[in-house]
Amino acid sequence: MTGLVAGVDVGGTFTDLVIFDPASGDVRLAKVPTTLPNQSGGVLNAFAEAGADLAGIDLIVHGTTTTTNAVLERHLAKTGLITTDGFRDVLELGRRTRPHAYGMHGSFTPIISRDLRFEVPERMDARGRVLTALDEEALRTAITSLIEAGCEALVIHFLHAYANPAHELRAGEIARELWPNDYITLGHKLLSESREYERGVTAAVNASVQPLLERYVARLADQLAAKGYVRDLLVMNGNGGMVAAKDVAKEAVKTVMSGPASGVMAAVATGRRAGMPNLLTYDMGGTSTDVAMIKGGVAPVSNEIEVEYAMPIHVPMVDVRTVGAGGGSIARIDAGGMLRVGPESAGSTPGPICYGRGGTRITISDANLILGRLPTARFGQAADAAFAAMQEQVAAPLGLSVEQAAEAVIRIANTHMAGAIRMVSISMGADPRDFALFAFGGAGPLHAVALAKELNVPKVLIPARPGITNALGCVVADLRHDFVRTLNRPLDGVDMTEVQGVLAAQEAEGRRLIGLEKIALTRVRAEYSADMQFVGQTHLQRVHLKSATPSREELQRLFEDVYHARFRVELPTIRANLVNLNVSVIGERPTLDLSHLIDPEGRKETAEPASRRRVWFDGWHDTPVYWRDHLPMKIDLQGPLIIEQMDTTIVIDPGARVISDPDGNLIVEVCE
């Protein structure tokens, strides 16, 4: 593929677009407000803002929050569940945890209400042997009842179907005779692994978002076609790969966390080119902050992501953790007189007070404006309104000056974000000092240096276009298909010929699917792994395999090494258990030259401040302000300073040093 490639990412506040010309390296960018509830409006507005001729674009890759928002806000298609007799409440019983581990109260709303969950006689055991035959008449009755109840989507989730799917397959045949559409999810086809609760929730989420995603993607594809786009639309999956729009709804659950995944993929590509394969990614947008840990230039993919309480989605997704701290996060004094920041957000409408769109509640963005980190002149009367609101809502109740109140808001927000970064690093046995902080999102570079100081991270890597990094991730993402198969047997009793056969079959299917896509690739490769545990344990450890033909001795040794590295414990007398076999097949796309993300023609020979203004760093400092597009390719500057650009503002604290690399990335050396 030699034509234009476009990546468009829809966030909670803004929709970002990057159009890349692989031949010349030329780049076009756009950033527009997200349009809710119909996100396609913002996508089309972004192309219009960039002045794009859609007929001349070869490929569009789209990262969307449609499914994520639908799940979190419970704006779902009406869905019915048919399950094994006695297991109607599997989605509610869960793992006997509670929303707040040490709280007296908490609530939980299952993804499918109890009146839409039906039981039918049938039963397999864990070995796949039939204990009770499928009652087909009872099944037909249940299906009819769900249709009459107005259900749009259907889940068929039988006990131990991963071991023997015969009953689910037959139930699917009967359902297709009666159900009025194709929104039928068979649990084992989506996820062939044990643990009925996790498999059931994953299937329920998939069915509940299928109609929403298909309608949205179809509408967007039609609108793009009407504007001249004639090729396939690809959609980002949560695993960091992408899939054709026509197929995406079949496994809609895999698009959950699509947006955050694209940002991590951009970080992987940028870090590799910058010689920084170990990164802690920090994506602060208008609504939330997403963090992840990249080790050795490889994106972290997990099969055990819990999107929220009691919402485990067991399909491979980039392991991203989210906290409710974004530029639009609202600061308030609670009933106990404590200052709180987030998770409630002002979003893009009305947005922070300083946006001048009718917002009335203090946000993180307003605090940054008051501290001089954002230019007051740009916001006019809205800046005066932000000052007045900070005085009334935060400063006066706490007995602080306006500047002290704004600084308190920033420090609390930073504490929240630092905690999330610790969660993906220290809690996983990694030392933050061995990583660089990759700061992106529209608000990320405002806080990155302060966070790095708090976490003792020695360097901050700020890409050329932080505010549109998620869109860039869509452009650089590879094709990817993930497979899992449960065996759940003691390792010493497993037939290794079967193990190798499963891995080979998974790889073959992945290569077949990638071969169907009309996208230029440099190579197709496979990654193999196994999920293992000691017999009697519940938690799993991911063991990475060197090939699809492991020996029993190799599996035992690798598992013991992984277990010891994680827990510093050896258990030589306990048998190992082989639970799942996993294969990821990845079609690598050609590497893109990222050095033109900032137009070389706009760079000046020397670094000269565009202006100066007062900025608060534990007191007011007269601070130079640079325009990033005018900086020379090679710089060496000392903080304090501000660097502004179209999509973000970068704050360099006193004592920090900022240099650049050949791609135009900024590298901040953080001094204690």
Side-chain angles (χ1 to χ4, degrees):
M1 182 175 294
T2 58
L4 300 180
V5 181
V8 57
D9 176 75
V10 179
T13 306
F14 290 104
T15 294
D16 303 323
L17 170 70
V18 56
I19 302 175
F20 201 97
D21 186 343
S24 66
D26 292 340
V27 176
R28 277 186 282 174
L29 310 169
K31 193 177 191 74
V32 301
T34 293
T35 54
L36 298 173
N38 181 8
Q39 298 178 356
S40 62
V43 174
L44 294 172
N45 291 342
F47 280 105
E49 180 78 12
D53 177 13
L54 285 167
I57 296 178
D58 253 14
L59 176 65
I60 297 176
V61 183
H62 179 31
T64 177
T65 56
T66 297
T67 52
T68 308
N69 292 345
V71 170
L72 296 178
E73 298 168 7
R74 292 295 198 274
H75 295 160
L76 303 166
K78 193 172 186 178
T79 303
L81 170 72
I82 298 176
T83 189
T84 304
D85 202 10
F87 286 82
R88 178 185 186 186
D89 294 317
V90 67
L91 301 185
E92 267 181 281
L93 294 175
R95 294 295 169 205
R96 299 187 67 179
T97 59
R98 46 188 174 176
H100 307 289
Y102 300 100
M104 295 292 291
H105 304 283
S107 62
F108 161 62
T109 303
I111 203 83
I112 299 174
S113 62
R114 195 171 193 271
D115 63 308
L116 299 177
R117 304 195 300 260
F118 286 71
E119 300 173 349
V120 296
E122 74 83 36
R123 187 69 177 264
M124 298 282 182
D125 69 8
R127 297 288 185 185
R129 295 171 297 196
V130 178
L131 300 181
T132 303
L134 173 64
D135 188 331
E136 296 189 3
E137 192 57 39
L139 175 69
R140 293 177 185 275
T141 301
I143 293 172
T144 302
S145 298
L146 290 172
I147 294 171
E148 292 172 351
C151 288
E152 187 176 8
L154 172 66
V155 178
I156 298 174
H157 172 56
F158 291 156
L159 196 69
H160 299 308
Y162 66 90
N164 183 353
H167 286 177
E168 275 195 7
L169 290 170
R170 176 56 184 156
E173 292 174 355
I174 294 171
R176 279 186 282 275
E177 296 172 5
L178 302 172
W179 203 255
N181 56 51
D182 293 329
Y183 303 134
I184 300 171
T185 297
L186 306 183
H188 83 277
K189 283 207 168 183
L190 189 67
L191 183 64
S192 186
E193 71 171 46
S194 57
R195 294 182 287 184
E196 307 307 314
Y197 168 59
E198 289 80 0
R199 188 157 50 90
V201 171
T202 302
V205 170
N206 187 76
S208 300
V209 299
Q210 260 187 324
L212 309 177
L213 181 63
E214 184 166 76
R215 284 195 287 268
Y216 167 69
V217 171
R219 182 169 58 245
L220 176 59
D222 289 344
Q223 290 173 326
L224 291 171
K227 298 287 186 180
Y229 184 64
V230 297
R231 302 183 183 271
D232 285 342
L233 171 68
L234 298 185
V235 180
M236 283 290 299
N237 270 341
N239 64 2
M242 50 191 178
V243 64
K246 64 180 186 300
D247 299 321
V248 70
K250 295 176 184 176
E251 296 182 332
V253 67
K254 292 184 177 181
T255 65
V256 174
M257 303 300 287
S258 162
S262 62
V264 175
M265 301 315 297
V268 168
T270 306
R272 285 175 179 169
R273 289 177 60 90
M276 296 184 183
N278 296 335
L279 297 171
L280 296 170
T281 71
Y282 159 59
D283 174 11
M284 183 179 180
T287 305
S288 61
T289 294
D290 300 316
V291 299
M293 180 175 68
I294 298 170
K295 212 170 175 180
V298 177
V301 177
S302 173
N303 289 50
E304 300 189 1
I305 302 295
E306 192 165 66
V307 177
E308 64 172 16
Y309 173 75
M311 197 61 65
I313 297 180
H314 278 218
V315 294
M317 291 190 288
V318 173
D319 193 356
V320 175
R321 312 296 172 91
T322 301
V323 294
S329 293
I330 292 170
R332 69 194 187 283
I333 307 297
D334 67 13
M338 298 288 290
L339 177 60
R340 306 285 185 186
V341 181
E344 185 182 357
S345 174
S348 58
T349 305
I353 297 172
C354 60
Y355 282 15
R357 297 176 181 162
T360 58
R361 302 176 69 184
I362 281 292
T363 67
I364 293 174
S365 291
D366 297 314
N368 277 312
L369 175 71
I370 290 166
L371 297 179
R373 299 174 183 193
L374 299 175
T376 55
R378 185 184 302 171
F379 295 92
Q381 291 183 344
D384 296 333
F387 276 83
M390 180 67 76
Q391 171 64 33
E392 179 184 350
Q393 297 177 25
V394 180
L398 296 178
L400 302 173
S401 69
V402 171
E403 292 84 3
Q404 289 171 330
E407 185 178 33
V409 170
I410 297 299
R411 287 188 173 181
I412 291 173
N414 287 348
T415 299
H416 291 333
M417 293 182 286
I421 296 171
R422 291 188 181 99
M423 184 167 56
V424 301
S425 56
I426 296 173
S427 66
M428 301 299 292
D431 188 339
R433 293 172 296 184
D434 297 332
F435 294 76
L437 186 66
F438 184 86
F440 64 110
L446 279 164
H447 300 254
V449 175
L451 279 177
K453 284 182 177 180
E454 183 165 340
L455 295 162
N456 288 320
V457 173
K459 292 183 178 180
V460 178
L461 176 61
I462 303 173
R465 296 297 182 186
I468 61 163
T469 297
N470 282 359
L472 178 64
C474 295
V475 170
V476 302
D478 297 322
L479 295 176
R480 180 173 177 136
H481 291 279
D482 297 283
F483 304 89
V484 58
R485 170 77 181 276
T486 291
L487 295 183
N488 200 18
R489 301 171 202 167
L491 180 59
D492 54 17
V494 169
D495 181 351
M496 294 307 297
T497 302
E498 181 185 4
V499 169
Q500 295 171 8
V502 169
L503 293 172
Q506 290 174 326
E507 180 180 355
E509 177 63 9
R511 289 182 179 274
R512 184 189 70 82
L513 292 171
I514 285 178
L516 297 175
E517 302 292 350
K518 301 174 182 178
I519 296 177
L521 302 173
T522 56
R523 67 166 177 157
V524 179
R525 60 182 177 88
E527 296 176 351
Y528 318 95
S529 64
D531 296 323
M532 300 181 67
Q533 62 189 180
F534 285 111
V535 173
Q537 293 183 326
T538 57
H539 59 272
L540 301 175
Q541 292 298 305
R542 176 65 53 87
V543 177
H544 294 282
L545 309 176
K546 296 178 181 178
S547 72
T549 56
S551 66
R552 196 185 317 274
E553 294 73 24
E554 182 184 3
L555 277 171
Q556 179 74 34
R557 176 178 53 79
L558 289 172
F559 170 59
E560 290 176 353
D561 290 347
V562 168
Y563 197 91
H564 186 268
R566 179 71 176 88
F567 298 106
R568 301 299 178 192
V569 172
E570 295 181 358
L571 301 172
T573 62
I574 304 179
R575 300 168 74 195
N577 199 50
L578 177 60
V579 181
N580 301 319
L581 293 170
N582 315 292
V583 175
S584 299
V585 183
I586 300 162
E588 296 182 355
R589 295 171 61 204
T591 301
L592 297 177
D593 182 0
L594 305 180
S595 62
H596 284 228
L597 286 169
I598 294 178
D599 186 358
E601 297 296 322
R603 295 186 180 276
K604 297 183 177 181
E605 293 186 4
T606 59
E608 299 292 339
S611 62
R612 303 186 73 89
R613 66 171 179 260
R614 292 198 315 157
V615 182
W616 182 278
F617 298 100
D618 295 322
W620 290 110
H621 291 249
D622 181 46
T623 304
V625 180
Y626 298 85
W627 184 250
R628 188 172 185 179
D629 293 45
H630 293 169
L631 289 173
M633 181 60 78
K634 190 174 182 179
I635 63 168
D636 190 340
L637 301 171
Q638 204 72 25
L641 60 97
I642 301 290
I643 300 174
E644 297 179 340
Q645 58 188 100
M646 173 272 278
D647 52 322
T648 193
T649 297
I650 303 164
V651 175
I652 308 297
D653 290 35
R657 176 192 178 207
V658 57
I659 58 176
S660 57
D661 73 1
D663 275 352
N665 302 309
L666 300 180
I667 301 167
V668 185
E669 297 175 351
V670 180
C671 302
E672 299 197 16

